[in-house]
């Protein structure tokens, strides 16, 4: 029990703060992208531990988790009862196509072919911060997803954030 407590404290200490920014870059013929300097600087504490790259649940994009964030997610998922079929189905689908990846010494990230196919990434891509992870999008699909054609953002913001009250006066 004490070892788990120490492990959780260590995870909390290396937890990545919010990642900020949206970056456009290009994918080379081998499926590699150069991590922009500003993003690489934010991810610096995570570079030695590596990352997990997976399919998004809700969008046709990929999600890049710093290893500390992935570990926290797995702690939540490991609480699910595997003798409940829905839980097993969820775990299987959530972890489908998951890959451990690293940024090489030149600052490049290799995206595996199967994940390129899933996300229909072409040459032009967008790296978009999503609080504590980075979404990797085909540029055209990203532009379409944020265009607002299918969702009224003001209504969405009110539905999601409208009833939140915090101690900082942000509400």
């Amino acid at each position: 029990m004490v070892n788990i407590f120490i492990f959780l404290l260590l995870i909390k200490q290396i937890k990545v703060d919010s990642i900020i920014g949206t970056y456009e870059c290009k994918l080379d013929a081998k499926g590699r992208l150069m991590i922009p300097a500003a993003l690489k600087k934010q991810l610096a504490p995570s570079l030695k531990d590596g990352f997990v790259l997976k399919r998004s649940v809700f969008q046709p994009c990929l999600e890049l988790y710093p290893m500390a964030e992935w570990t926290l997610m797995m702690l939540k998922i490991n609480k699910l009862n595997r003798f409940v079929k829905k839980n097993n189905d969820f775990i299987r689908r959530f972890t489908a196509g998951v890959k451990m990846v690293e940024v090489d010494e030149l600052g490049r990230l290799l995206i595996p072919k199967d994940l390129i196919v899933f996300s229909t990434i072409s040459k032009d891509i967008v790296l978009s911060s999503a609080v504590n992870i980075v979404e990797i999008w085909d540029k055209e699909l990203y532009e379409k997803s944020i265009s607002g054609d299918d969702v009224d953002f003001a209504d969405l913001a009110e539905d999601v954030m409208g009833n939140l009250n915090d101690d900082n006066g942000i509400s």
Side-chain angles (χ1 to χ4, degrees), residues 32-88:
R32 299 173 299 194
L33 64 96
M34 182 70 70
I35 303 287
L39 180 57
K40 188 175 174 187
K41 185 175 179 181
Q42 293 179 67
L43 296 174
S46 303
L47 291 175
K48 69 176 176 17
D49 296 328
F51 300 87
V52 171
L53 188 61
K54 70 173 289 301
R55 302 169 182 180
S56 173
V57 173
F58 300 107
Q59 300 291 339
C61 70
L62 303 176
E63 296 172 341
L64 182 68
Y65 284 77
M67 192 57 71
E69 293 296 335
W70 181 255
T71 301
L72 291 173
M73 179 64 72
M74 289 298 97
L75 288 172
K76 292 177 186 176
I77 288 177
N78 281 333
K79 291 179 183 176
L80 296 174
N81 183 342
R82 302 241 5 193
F83 287 96
V84 175
K85 184 178 180 332
K86 278 185 182 179
N87 293 351
N88 246 350

Side-chain angles (χ1 to χ4, degrees), residues 27-149:
L27 200 64
D28 70 15
K30 294 181 179 178
R32 299 173 299 194
L33 64 96
M34 182 70 70
I35 303 287
L39 180 57
K40 188 175 174 187
K41 185 175 179 181
Q42 293 179 67
L43 296 174
S46 303
L47 291 175
K48 69 176 176 17
D49 296 328
F51 300 87
V52 171
L53 188 61
K54 70 173 289 301
R55 302 169 182 180
S56 173
V57 173
F58 300 107
Q59 300 291 339
C61 70
L62 303 176
E63 296 172 341
L64 182 68
Y65 284 77
M67 192 57 71
E69 293 296 335
W70 181 255
T71 301
L72 291 173
M73 179 64 72
M74 289 298 97
L75 288 172
K76 292 177 186 176
I77 288 177
N78 281 333
K79 291 179 183 176
L80 296 174
N81 183 342
R82 302 241 5 193
F83 287 96
V84 175
K85 184 178 180 332
K86 278 185 182 179
N87 293 351
N88 246 350
D89 293 346
F90 168 78
I91 292 167
R92 183 179 314 105
R93 304 255 338 243
F94 184 80
T95 59
V98 168
K99 304 281 193 292
M100 290 180 61
V101 295
E102 295 179 352
V103 175
D104 71 14
E105 62 279 350
L106 298 176
R108 299 174 302 189
L109 178 74
L110 175 66
I111 300 178
K113 297 274 187 228
D114 63 317
L115 294 179
I116 289 174
V117 170
F118 166 81
S119 58
T120 63
I121 290 175
S122 61
K123 186 174 184 168
D124 295 317
I125 63 173
V126 172
L127 304 178
S128 178
S129 61
V131 186
N132 57 351
I133 65 171
V134 176
E135 293 179 338
I136 302 174
W137 287 83
D138 176 79
K139 184 179 179 183
E140 195 173 302
L141 288 175
Y142 177 76
E143 294 298 334
K144 190 184 294 184
S145 78
I146 64 167
S147 69
D149 293 342

